[in-house]
């Protein structure tokens, strides 16, 4: 079995070669670093400051802020102080960590530090906004996941003043091209020039220094000391002093970084591996995907140099040939995913109409329904509608087993009413309050998609949601089905990169790639978002012995993830808030696209994923 340590060593050789190609913009400017200050940092303590201004703490979007602060708490040392509103939600969530005084929102958090005399090793300052898109970028960049907080804290280790701000909210003076597009219109060049001239008149900064566009950031102890001392020296409105913080940090020989929104990993989850009527009817009693894989020789005489990956046994730390109706198996899946920083699962959802479809339209629904009842897997989730007909294609026949038609308004209502019980589940993924729902083959719906999803949006508003966050899958069918036209008609919010087909259909990557490094050239609405992704390979030989495998070793997966996260770190103009990152797959065993432990590589793919998520690169200005 290939060890992760060996994978790391092999990957280092590749990274060293790649490092010569890294462009000079990784450090845009150089400066003379002053000798380290003699001020001794305090013990390893953290503080979180939350400013609400006039906003209500009863906001329905408060859950995102609570999640953010919880991520900090989960990786913070025991000595954590949270300064924010006295509210039932915060008290229940953080208990004794919530400080016993309330921020006066008329003053900056710097004034509070002056008055209280607290010293902290690192501080997270969040200015809560009623602008959902702005707020999403701030929270996702500064504390979007536990592993992301770990990456930020680990990066703030230099013995000099340091500040980390959300990507796109730090930009060069009089050069705003790299500011987060959503906030660009809020920036007044005249105001910037006036304030910049005033700060320059102090003799402490130069014109080319930087500006923070949002009063939210991480700052270390030495950075706080810089700001506290300059706060006394400079006659400058506190509302603006925080905004010029990068200039002040750099003027003292410090470091300014920005950080991408946290990659939020969702793995595709195949809810099969149990007995259900359609499999019994089409393939024989008790047929599951395991039926094909169990009977295969791992060496496969048709391709002896490419053995199959099969489930690692329970005694060796795997899950074996499981039955997904087993509560304990699903609990272990969730724990294994959490342990390796997989945020949640994207379940395939099956709803059919027409020839062969069951009366209630549902197929393979048992596992998601069990999850609603017993809580396992206990992870965030969303659905992807696998909306294409079932045929015997993988046996060489094309006869239709289950047709995929789309019914009328009555059926659309029935379908939505089934989904809404999932949408309202506390762990269902919502982006800016809108439930996320992906469609595997949007173009197959043709022009019915626009009418159906407009109707669903009406129903969603009746159920208390302001919208639906609809996501199209980009793969083989995008061009075949003229999917672009349907996507624009349907007001699709986003696209996800489905790598097994993306790689083959778009011909934009090479054999060494296993993950996205750029947005695809889609002609979509301006606000359209692209969610990047990755895969661990794709091999249909368990279903079709003549299929050609697309293999991605753990070493390739490792290097490719590093390239992806490095690219994210420099893509300031990327239109992204929640940085959803979809991996194919958690358990597609008969397509050999799996993160679960297997007999060839053990937990290598999971360990590589966790290792990279905890070392997300930051951009140094």
């Amino acid at each position: 079995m290939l060890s992760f340590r060996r994978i790391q060593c092999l990957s280092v050789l590749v990274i060293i070669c790649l490092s010569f190609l890294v462009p000079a913009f990784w450090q845009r400017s150089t400066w003379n670093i002053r000798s380290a200050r003699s001020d001794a940092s305090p013990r390893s303590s953290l503080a979180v400051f939350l400013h609400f201004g006039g906003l209500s703490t009863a906001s329905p979007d408060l859950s995102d802020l609570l999640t953010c602060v919880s991520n900090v708490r989960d990786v913070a040392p025991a000595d954590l102080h949270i300064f924010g509103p006295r509210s039932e939600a915060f008290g229940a969530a953080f208990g004794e960590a919530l400080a016993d005084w309330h921020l006066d929102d008329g003053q900056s958090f710097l004034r509070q530090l002056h008055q209280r005399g607290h010293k902290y090793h690192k501080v997270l300052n969040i200015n809560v906004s009623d602008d959902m898109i702005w707020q999403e970028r701030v929270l996702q960049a500064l504390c979007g996941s536990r592993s992301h907080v770990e990456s930020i804290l680990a990066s703030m280790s230099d013995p000099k003043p340091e500040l980390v701000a959300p990507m796109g909210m730090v930009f060069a003076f009089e050069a705003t091209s790299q500011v987060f597009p959503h906030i660009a219109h809020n920036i007044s060049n005249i105001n910037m020039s006036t304030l910049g001239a005033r700060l320059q008149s102090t003799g402490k900064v130069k014109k080319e220094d930087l500006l923070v566009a949002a009063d939210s950031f991480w700052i270390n102890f030495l950075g706080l000391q810089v700001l506290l001392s300059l706060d006394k020296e400079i006659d400058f409105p506190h509302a603006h002093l925080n905004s010029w913080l990068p200039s002040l940090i750099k003027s003292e020989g410090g470091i300014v970084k920005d950080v991408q929104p946290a990659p939020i990993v969702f793995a595709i989850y195949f809810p099969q591996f149990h007995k259900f009527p359609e499999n019994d009817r089409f393939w024989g009693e008790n047929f599951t995907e395991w039926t094909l894989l169990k009977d295969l020789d791992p060496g496969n005489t048709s391709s002896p140099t490419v053995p199959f990956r099969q489930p690692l046994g329970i005694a060796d730390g795997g899950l074996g040939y499981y039955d997904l109706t087993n509560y304990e198996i699903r609990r272990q899946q969730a724990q294994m995913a959490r342990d390796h920083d997989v945020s949640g699962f994207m379940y395939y959802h099956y709803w059919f109409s027409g020839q062969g479809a069951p009366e209630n339209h549902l197929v393979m629904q048992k596992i998601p329904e069990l999850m609603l009842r017993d809580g396992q897997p206990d992870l965030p989730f969303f659905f992807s509608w696998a909306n294409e007909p079932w045929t015997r294609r993988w046996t060489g026949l094309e006869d239709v087993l289950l047709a995929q038609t789309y019914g009328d308004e009555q059926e659309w209502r029935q379908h939505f009413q089934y989904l809404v019980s999932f949408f309202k589940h506390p762990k269902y993924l919502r982006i800016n309050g809108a439930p996320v729902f992906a469609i595997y083959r949007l173009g197959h719906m043709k022009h019915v998609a626009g009418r159906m999803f407009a109707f669903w949006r009406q129903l969603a508003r009746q159920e208390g949601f302001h919208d639906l966050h609809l996501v199209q899958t980009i793969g083989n069918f995008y061009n075949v089905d003229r999917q672009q036209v349907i996507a624009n008609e349907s007001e699709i919010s986003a696209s996800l990169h489905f790598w097994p087909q993306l790689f083959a259909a778009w011909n934009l990557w090479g054999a060494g790639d296993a993950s996205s490094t750029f947005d695809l050239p889609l002609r979509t609405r301006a606000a359209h978002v692209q969610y990047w992704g990755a895969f661990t390979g794709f091999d249909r030989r368990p279903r079709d012995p003549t299929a050609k495998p697309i293999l991605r070793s753990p070493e390739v997966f490792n290097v490719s993830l590093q390239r992806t996260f490095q690219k994210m770190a420099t893509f300031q103009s990327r239109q992204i808030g929640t940085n959803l990152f979809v991996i194919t797959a958690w358990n597609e065993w008969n397509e050999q696209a799996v993160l679960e432990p297997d007999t060839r590589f053990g937990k290598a793919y999971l360990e590589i994923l966790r290792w990279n998520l905890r070392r997300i690169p930051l951009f140094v200005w």
Side-chain angles (χ1 to χ4, degrees):
M1 188 180 299
L2 196 60
S3 71
F4 179 51
R5 184 172 296 278
R6 183 182 172 200
I7 292 166
Q8 284 184 274
C9 293
L10 293 171
S11 299
V12 165
L13 297 176
V14 180
I15 293 298
I16 291 172
C17 296
L18 290 172
S19 66
F20 291 103
L21 303 176
V22 176
F25 57 65
W26 273 95
Q27 287 197 348
R28 295 201 182 158
S29 59
T30 60
W31 56 85
N32 294 322
I33 301 298
R34 301 181 184 181
S35 59
R37 294 165 172 259
S38 59
D39 311 43
S41 295
R43 55 199 169 87
S44 182
S45 58
L46 288 179
V48 177
F49 288 81
L50 306 173
H51 304 266
F52 276 77
L55 299 181
S56 168
T57 58
S59 164
D61 296 319
L62 188 62
S63 60
D64 293 336
L65 181 63
L66 288 169
T67 299
C68 173
V69 178
S70 296
N71 290 334
V72 177
R73 178 198 58 192
D74 290 346
V75 301
D79 190 5
L80 170 68
H81 292 161
I82 302 169
F83 300 103
R86 292 194 186 102
S87 72
E88 183 178 346
F90 274 85
F94 305 117
E96 294 181 0
L98 192 63
D100 60 358
W101 55 276
H102 179 65
L103 281 177
D104 177 356
D105 292 301
Q107 298 175 325
S108 70
F109 87 101
L110 299 172
R111 285 294 193 196
Q112 297 287 3
L113 289 174
H114 276 311
Q115 293 173 3
R116 306 291 171 175
H118 290 296
K119 291 184 177 180
Y120 297 99
H121 188 244
K122 296 181 179 74
V123 165
L124 171 61
N125 185 60
I126 295 178
N127 195 29
V128 181
S129 171
D130 59 357
D131 182 329
M132 289 193 302
I133 297 177
W134 176 304
Q135 187 69 12
E136 182 187 29
R137 169 60 69 100
V138 166
L139 297 181
Q140 291 298 320
L142 296 180
C143 43
S145 70
R146 285 172 294 177
S147 56
H148 204 60
V149 173
E150 285 191 28
S151 293
I152 293 171
L153 294 179
S155 78
M156 298 176 70
S157 57
D158 289 306
K160 54 180 72 74
E162 191 165 352
L163 176 139
V164 177
M167 175 178 283
M169 295 186 175
V170 181
F171 55 93
F173 183 74
E174 294 183 345
T176 62
S177 60
Q178 290 173 315
V179 73
F180 180 40
H182 176 71
I183 67 172
H185 66 279
N186 290 326
I187 300 168
S188 166
N189 288 324
I190 296 176
N191 190 43
M192 285 170 55
S193 299
T194 301
L195 297 175
R198 187 171 180 183
L199 192 61
Q200 290 175 65
S201 69
T202 66
K204 292 199 174 282
V205 298
K206 299 177 181 179
K207 183 176 181 180
E208 61 267 22
D209 281 333
L210 307 176
L211 172 73
V212 162
D215 186 14
S216 299
F217 45 78
W218 282 95
I219 189 169
N220 69 354
F221 172 72
L222 293 177
L224 284 172
Q225 304 317 300
V226 169
L227 191 50
L228 289 172
S229 64
L230 291 173
D231 187 31
K232 297 176 181 178
E233 298 174 20
I234 301 175
D235 180 19
F236 207 72
H238 282 85
H240 301 308
L241 187 58
N242 291 350
S243 295
W244 288 96
L245 187 49
S247 302
L248 304 176
I249 294 291
K250 287 194 70 175
S251 72
E252 293 295 306
I255 298 176
V256 176
K257 301 175 181 176
D258 69 22
V259 61
Q260 61 189 277
I264 306 298
V265 173
F266 273 69
I268 296 174
Y269 187 100
F270 188 39
Q272 215 250 30
F273 307 109
H274 67 284
K275 174 182 170 65
F276 61 92
E278 287 72 27
N279 263 358
D280 287 348
R281 178 154 51 104
F282 300 142
W283 309 108
E285 189 74 16
N286 296 319
F287 176 91
T288 72
E289 291 279 295
W290 294 137
T291 305
L292 298 176
L293 193 61
K294 277 182 178 179
D295 293 339
L296 292 175
D297 174 6
N300 187 10
T301 56
S302 67
S303 184
T305 60
V306 187
F308 292 113
R309 299 167 60 190
Q310 295 183 313
L312 191 64
I314 294 174
D316 296 318
L319 297 171
Y321 287 96
Y322 50 70
D323 182 331
L324 280 181
T325 61
N326 185 311
Y327 173 92
E328 181 59 21
I329 287 295
R330 288 180 282 115
R331 188 198 66 78
Q332 290 180 36
Q333 287 180 320
Q335 188 60 52
M336 188 177 291
R338 270 192 302 273
D339 289 345
H340 294 87
D341 298 337
V342 175
S343 296
F345 292 144
M346 183 184 87
Y347 293 96
Y348 278 134
H349 162 70
Y350 298 87
W351 178 283
F352 293 93
S353 296
Q355 176 187 333
E359 186 175 346
N360 67 356
H361 305 282
L362 290 163
V363 172
M364 225 159 35
Q365 77 276 20
K366 188 170 186 177
I367 304 309
E369 290 180 357
L370 280 175
M371 181 269 298
L372 281 190
R373 292 200 294 271
D374 63 28
Q376 295 296 344
D378 182 20
L379 283 178
F381 69 99
F382 70 98
F383 278 166
S384 172
W385 184 10
N387 65 316
E388 64 173 353
W390 279 14
T391 69
R392 296 186 189 273
R393 183 176 54 201
W394 52 270
T395 66
L397 301 174
E398 288 292 339
D399 54 317
V400 174
L401 303 175
L402 291 173
Q404 186 63 273
T405 60
Y406 299 97
D408 55 16
E409 196 170 284
Q410 180 179 349
E411 184 184 322
W412 303 345
R413 182 185 297 274
Q414 182 184 354
H415 191 177
F416 183 85
Q417 290 304 321
Y418 175 78
L419 291 171
V420 78
S421 60
F422 293 93
F423 291 169
K424 290 186 175 182
H425 191 280
K427 289 191 177 295
Y428 196 91
L429 179 65
R430 288 180 285 275
I431 292 181
N432 290 327
V436 177
F437 186 77
I439 304 96
Y440 175 70
R441 193 173 172 183
L442 178 66
H444 189 270
M445 300 180 71
K446 302 191 184 304
H447 299 290
V448 72
R451 302 195 306 275
M452 177 177 172
F453 292 136
F455 183 65
W456 275 19
R457 285 186 167 100
Q458 293 177 19
L459 298 178
R461 286 189 285 272
Q462 293 172 15
E463 294 289 345
F465 301 111
H466 73 89
D467 200 357
L468 296 174
H469 190 80
L470 299 175
V471 182
Q472 66 174 338
T473 303
I474 304 298
N476 284 346
F477 302 116
Y478 184 79
N479 294 317
V480 173
D481 292 340
R482 296 180 70 244
Q483 193 163 306
Q484 173 195 317
V485 174
I486 308 303
N488 289 330
E489 285 181 358
S490 308
E491 298 184 17
I492 297 297
S493 307
S495 300
L496 69 83
H497 292 186
F498 181 58
W499 257 79
Q501 294 182 3
L502 195 75
F503 171 79
W506 287 75
N507 197 29
L508 295 174
W509 289 273
D513 294 310
S515 53
S516 308
T517 50
F518 51 82
D519 281 350
L520 290 164
L522 309 178
R523 294 188 293 277
T524 55
R525 298 180 303 144
H528 194 88
V529 176
Q530 291 192 40
Y531 297 126
W532 293 4
F535 77 146
T536 62
F538 188 75
D539 182 359
R540 294 182 62 254
R541 288 178 301 144
R543 293 175 178 166
D544 178 3
T546 66
K548 182 179 179 181
I550 303 173
L551 305 176
R552 293 295 181 268
S553 68
E555 295 94 334
V556 169
F557 186 65
N558 186 31
V559 173
S560 192
L561 285 181
Q562 291 179 32
R563 280 200 296 258
T564 290
F565 296 147
Q566 286 169 351
K567 182 62 179 178
M568 286 182 182
T570 60
F571 198 166
Q572 276 90 350
S573 61
R574 186 175 174 218
Q575 187 74 28
I576 196 74
T578 299
N579 191 8
L580 192 60
F581 191 73
V582 180
I583 293 185
T584 310
W586 179 259
N587 63 341
E588 282 275 18
W589 282 99
N590 280 0
E591 293 176 349
Q592 297 284 279
V594 291
L595 285 171
E596 288 180 332
D598 72 86
T599 50
R600 290 192 64 199
F601 303 116
K603 295 182 179 179
Y605 290 96
L606 283 170
E607 290 170 349
I608 285 165
L609 178 63
R610 178 177 60 190
W611 190 89
N612 281 284
L613 286 171
R614 296 185 181 184
R615 290 161 179 82
I616 294 296
L618 278 68
F619 185 90
V620 180
W621 285 80

